Amino acid sequence: MARISLKDVRKSYGSTDVIRGVDIEIEDGEFAVFVGPSGCGKSTLLRMVAGLEDITSGTLSIGDRVVNDLPPKDRKVAMVFQSYAIFPHMTVRENVAFGLTIAGASKAEKDAKVAEAARILQMEPLLDRRPSQLSGGQRQRVAIGRAIVRKPEVFLFDEPLSNLDAALRMDMRMEISKLHKQLGTTMIYVTHDQVEAMTLADKIVVLKGGEVQQIGAPMELYHHPVNAFVAGFLGSPSMNFLDVEVVEANGDAVTVRNGALDPVTVSRASGDYVAGGRALLGIRPQYLVPAADEAASALHGTVGLAERLGTETIVDVALKDGKSLIAALSQDAILEMGAPIGFTFDPAKCHLFAARSA
Amino acid sequence: MASRFQHSNRAGWLMAGPAAALIGLFIIVPFALAIVFSFTNQRLISPNPAEFIGLDNYRQLLGVATLTLAPETDAAGAPVVENGEVQYPALRGYTRNNPDYPGLRGMREWFSFDWGDNRTFVLARDVVFMTAIVNTFIFVLVVAPVQGGLALGLALLINQKLRGINVFRAIYFMPVVVSIVVVSLLWRFIYDGNSGLLNNLLGFLSFGFIPPVDWLGNPSTALGAIIAMSIWQAVGFHMVIWLSGLQTISPTLYEAAALEGASKWQTFRHVTWPGLRNTAVLVLIVITMQAFALFAQIDVTTRGGPLDSTQTIVFQAVQRGYGKQDISGGSAISVILFVIVLAISLTQRWLTREKR
Ligand SMILES: Nc1ncnc2c1ncn2[C@@H]1O[C@H](COP(=O)(O)OP(=O)(O)O)[C@@H](O)[C@H]1O
Ligand SMILES: [Mg+2]
């Protein structure tokens, strides 16, 4: 019913290109998350879907209609803003019913729909309060309530949780996930937080500099990132990248090494590597295993700062070649600062990328 | 603790001192003096010492009474009619040395109305001052809503992201920086009875059907002409206040309203206007107070005429205090104006208070 499709969508402000040709398909009922660093154009893209920004070129369709030139109200979308955007002079009830008031709905209809939204969001006791008497999380609930009463075909969320504290953020994340399962409506959710992206999304769109880097299911992106940016952006702590020298490139098997890394053979996903050239080897901190015998390990360094989080210990390692590395160790081994440490890892879980251009 | 407080207090007083002294000298002292003078018979220059005369000044200014008279009858008891008008006994008989009506002594007719066969005369001790009060209230009641509304309309027009919008902002604001005295002088030319701009324009637009009007010289148009000119002069000022109010409203609220499908009018009614509540109170109170102080326009254009049709409270205060050197009478008028403005401001604040 409400598939969303962006075809070569672009946006420029004067001579600055903010969105540089984006192709995204979002299926009906899908939860899509646009993720990327601050300033990469996520909000701009979302606002173009909402109709709050016009589209410089390209085609945007919602359902089977091209909506490029449709005003926001005719797109059947509802949006939840980072700043909540609830009306300060109206009670919660009036805020939630706003869209219905605008559409001239009867009082009975409004009451019924507001009651239903309040039940879904568990905010019945708040209905007669004013926004100034609400906490941040409650305000965001009101904003979501206003979005759901109109039964839109698409929900748009622009960083809805960034103004909340960590504990509340987790609660609301689950609420939003539950809401999506309950309503089954297409949703686009914008965030710079990869945890939100990983936990909420059916489909993640990673953006950088106004361009799509990769689109796919969270685990697909996690395990098969197409480039170093995606690899480094998803996962926490982020992936380690080692500057390596290609020793030998033999079909799909590429052998690399550097000052701290003994030669290791990994299989290439893509790209051209020639012996003597440079490359980037990505290893997630979780896949590093400390070797009992330092001499038998592949990666050599000394222990720096260690942070014990309970479930895992994050160790900052100074590699032999002077670079640093983060390892996430599952056991709470006693690590002595300055002691030599070696790691082994499964080459199959490494990622090889083209060297960073100088 | 105490010494530190006193120490910084001294520095504070030193810094606030010059301003406080000037405010005291030019605002608080004259204000207190006006109240004191209003209970005396002080004159601007007089060899006799001032005497305390209680509320006489106020009685003189505000004294009002009614007198209902039956028509004069002839010998047969029928009303006397002359030139088609029923005749009533002369008021002089009641207001001059009539021992039966001591309260009416010195009063003059302000206006009258018929009540059955009888006619009720409303008498005032100072008819000109009564006219001034009425004119001032008419001025305020017209200027406050019209100027406030026009200013809001301009602010809404100007609060758009259009190229060159600053040119319009500057144009609308320009009359504000021109002194009202200069504005009044210029508008005298516009309103001129023979070849004024307004008469020429109306004549041109109506192909000569509208005859020239002496806008400021005609009792039925003079006050209206001054009202129009005053609205034009200060509308830009209030436009800027509205504009600042408009810009405090978060743009995301408009976006949310647009997504919810609100029309232009619905957006204004549900988002803009509630967001302007505090600005509206401010604009209303400022316009009201400025309008009550109407003086310069009158002084430059009509000086209260023609036939007292543009007398105002402040003009009366100045005329009486300096023109007639009756400083105590002028002071009493000032105090009356102060009480009126205070009462209205408090009422407005109460009416527009945040209801919880
Ligand atoms: N009105 C504008 N004029 C010019 N540049 C803009 C405008 N709005 C946003 N941008 C630029 O577009 C880029 C993307 O912005 P935005 O979509 O808000 O990023 P984010 O991914 O953080 O939400 C930013 O570099 C920003 O500076
Ligand atoms: Mg953003």
Side-chain angles (χ1 to χ4, degrees):
Chain A
M1 192 171 66
R3 235 174 136 264
I4 299 171
S5 143
L6 292 89
K7 291 210 175 68
D8 196 25
V9 167
R10 288 165 193 274
K11 172 80 187 178
S12 334
Y13 291 108
S15 60
T16 357
D17 297 331
V18 175
I19 303 293
R20 304 150 181 259
V22 160
D23 292 282
I24 302 171
E25 299 287 331
I26 297 164
E27 301 302 327
D28 181 26
E30 203 165 40
F31 198 124
V33 175
F34 294 175
V35 68
S38 194
C40 70
K42 310 177 294 286
S43 297
T44 308
L45 201 54
L46 192 74
R47 292 164 57 80
M48 285 158 85
V49 174
L52 298 173
E53 301 277 353
D54 32 274
I55 297 170
T56 308
S57 73
T59 318
L60 168 68
S61 337
I62 299 178
D64 39 22
R65 293 183 302 172
V66 174
V67 298
N68 281 40
D69 299 318
L70 234 48
K73 67 183 166 70
D74 297 332
R75 297 190 182 194
K76 297 193 181 147
V77 300
M79 184 157 167
V80 175
F81 296 84
Q82 178 177 352
S83 57
Y84 319 127
I86 53 181
F87 302 111
H89 54 277
M90 295 182 197
T91 62
V92 169
R93 185 187 303 279
E94 289 163 341
N95 262 291
V96 173
F98 184 75
L100 303 170
T101 308
I102 290 301
S106 70
K107 185 166 181 326
E109 184 189 350
K110 280 200 269 186
D111 285 348
K113 290 194 170 166
V114 169
E116 192 198 341
R119 185 182 53 74
I120 293 174
L121 295 167
Q122 292 158 25
M123 57 176 193
E124 283 109 332
L126 306 180
L127 283 178
D128 292 310
R129 292 212 203 156
R130 297 223 166 231
S132 56
Q133 303 163 317
L134 299 178
S135 71
Q138 290 170 331
R139 285 179 206 194
Q140 200 53 281
R141 253 169 231 269
V142 175
I144 295 173
R146 185 176 66 198
I148 66 179
V149 287
R150 277 191 308 129
K151 303 244 183 307
E153 294 185 353
V154 180
F155 282 102
L156 307 174
F157 295 89
D158 191 355
E159 310 218 14
L161 309 185
S162 348
N163 287 353
L164 308 182
D165 62 52
L168 202 53
R169 200 146 53 202
M170 193 159 142
D171 284 351
M172 283 301 285
R173 206 167 70 206
M174 290 181 175
E175 295 265 339
I176 290 176
S177 184
K178 226 165 65 190
L179 192 70
H180 177 244
K181 294 205 172 65
Q182 218 168 334
L183 303 175
T185 315
T186 315
M187 296 190 177
I188 304 181
Y189 186 104
V190 158
T191 180
H192 64 267
D193 180 353
Q194 56 95 18
V195 178
E196 283 174 25
M198 293 295 286
T199 50
L200 287 170
D202 295 326
K203 176 184 276 175
I204 295 183
V205 178
V206 182
L207 292 162
K208 181 192 169 202
E211 284 170 340
V212 172
Q213 301 293 304
Q214 193 173 3
I215 301 179
M219 278 326 203
E220 185 189 331
L221 265 56
Y222 186 78
H223 290 300
H224 307 287
V226 295
N227 60 28
F229 176 78
V230 176
F233 196 80
L234 299 179
S236 164
S238 33
M239 185 182 274
N240 295 297
F241 293 105
L242 307 176
D243 282 310
V244 292
E245 177 191 336
V246 178
V247 180
E248 192 185 350
N250 187 0
D252 272 353
V254 182
T255 307
V256 297
R257 65 177 292 276
N258 74 8
L261 177 71
D262 297 338
V264 60
T265 304
V266 297
S267 59
R268 97 170 78 191
S270 61
D272 283 330
Y273 303 97
V274 291
R278 311 289 310 173
L280 212 51
L281 183 69
I283 314 171
R284 292 205 183 274
Q286 287 81 1
Y287 296 148
L288 288 167
V289 183
D293 180 4
E294 206 266 328
S297 63
L299 196 53
H300 312 276
T302 50
V303 177
L305 218 55
E307 290 181 325
R308 281 150 193 255
L309 305 180
T311 50
E312 56 181 9
T313 301
I314 309 293
V315 193
D316 187 14
V317 177
L319 290 176
K320 244 165 73 180
D321 65 352
K323 304 280 170 52
S324 70
L325 176 99
I326 302 288
L329 310 181
S330 54
Q331 78 271 41
D332 44 358
I334 308 294
L335 296 168
E336 201 179 318
M337 210 162 165
I341 188 169
F343 294 98
T344 57
F345 53 88
D346 177 359
K349 288 186 169 159
C350 291
H351 302 273
L352 198 61
F353 302 108
R356 294 191 182 101
S357 47
Chain B
M1 190 69 199
S3 77
R4 214 184 109 208
F5 178 71
Q6 279 164 1
H7 179 75
S8 37
N9 222 14
R10 192 185 314 145
W13 278 115
L14 274 174
M15 282 189 248
L22 289 174
I23 289 175
L25 189 61
F26 288 106
I27 295 179
I28 298 174
V29 170
F31 180 73
L33 279 179
I35 294 179
V36 172
F37 283 161
S38 71
F39 296 108
T40 67
N41 63 359
Q42 176 81 44
R43 295 189 58 79
L44 196 57
I45 304 161
S46 163
N48 306 324
E51 286 169 32
F52 184 75
I53 56 166
L55 291 172
D56 272 6
N57 282 322
Y58 294 98
R59 267 188 220 112
Q60 175 61 33
L61 285 167
L62 297 173
V64 194
T66 56
L67 178 66
T68 304
L69 296 177
E72 273 187 55
T73 47
D74 54 20
V80 180
V81 178
E82 260 174 46
N83 302 333
E85 295 220 10
V86 182
Q87 297 297 303
Y88 292 88
L91 286 173
R92 281 194 306 277
Y94 298 89
T95 57
R96 292 201 191 151
N97 297 324
N98 186 330
D100 297 336
Y101 295 92
L104 299 185
R105 184 158 304 160
M107 286 196 168
R108 289 199 296 134
E109 178 183 348
W110 179 14
F111 59 92
S112 66
F113 52 89
D114 287 339
W115 186 261
D117 285 339
N118 298 339
R119 177 169 288 186
T120 299
F121 293 88
V122 177
L123 308 172
R125 210 166 286 282
D126 188 338
V127 174
V128 175
F129 184 63
M130 287 299 142
T131 314
I133 290 184
V134 170
N135 286 341
T136 306
F137 271 87
I138 292 174
F139 185 81
V140 170
L141 288 176
V142 175
V143 168
V146 174
Q147 191 172 60
L150 267 178
L152 175 59
L154 289 178
L156 288 171
L157 281 179
I158 255 173
N159 190 31
Q160 301 180 50
K161 285 196 194 106
L162 292 178
R163 207 201 299 231
I165 198 78
N166 277 330
V167 176
F168 287 93
R169 292 185 190 189
I171 289 174
Y172 295 152
F173 193 70
M174 239 185 272
V176 180
V177 276
V178 180
S179 154
I180 184 69
V181 174
V182 177
V183 167
S184 304
L185 285 170
L186 291 175
W187 279 69
R188 266 190 3 201
F189 295 114
I190 294 179
Y191 283 145
D192 188 276
N194 301 312
S195 55
L197 186 64
L198 183 58
N199 280 328
N200 277 333
L201 192 70
L202 289 175
F204 177 74
L205 289 179
S206 66
F207 302 104
F209 274 113
I210 299 180
V213 177
D214 184 3
W215 298 98
L216 291 170
N218 185 331
S220 57
T221 56
L223 188 60
I226 286 173
I227 286 175
M229 176 183 89
S230 307
I231 289 175
W232 175 84
Q233 193 263 339
V235 75
F237 178 77
H238 299 289
M239 174 194 80
V240 171
I241 300 184
W242 283 120
L243 195 60
S244 76
L246 284 173
Q247 291 181 346
T248 62
I249 302 174
S250 159
T252 34
L253 291 184
Y254 288 107
E255 293 179 345
L259 279 161
E260 298 290 323
S263 65
K264 275 218 160 83
W265 164 244
Q266 286 170 322
T267 308
F268 178 78
R269 159 138 171 38
H270 294 291
V271 182
T272 313
W273 183 244
L276 289 175
R277 167 182 204 87
N278 292 332
T279 315
V281 175
L282 176 71
V283 167
L284 201 61
I285 289 182
V286 170
I287 294 184
T288 307
M289 299 218 270
Q290 285 179 347
F292 268 113
L294 172 62
F295 168 73
Q297 297 94 306
I298 305 290
D299 195 43
V300 175
T301 54
T302 61
R303 304 199 52 83
L307 298 176
D308 289 332
S309 62
T310 58
Q311 286 288 356
T312 68
I313 298 178
V314 177
F315 188 72
Q316 273 290 300
V318 174
Q319 267 218 324
R320 205 162 294 221
Y322 297 97
K324 297 183 182 161
Q325 308 211 342
D326 175 10
I327 208 76
S328 58
S331 296
I333 294 179
S334 308
V335 174
I336 291 170
L337 178 65
F338 171 72
V339 172
I340 293 175
V341 172
L342 185 69
I344 287 177
S345 299
L346 290 178
T347 315
Q348 279 178 341
R349 283 204 52 171
W350 185 76
L351 287 175
T352 54
R353 74 197 181 282
E354 192 102 30
K355 294 181 185 77
R356 299 212 173 263

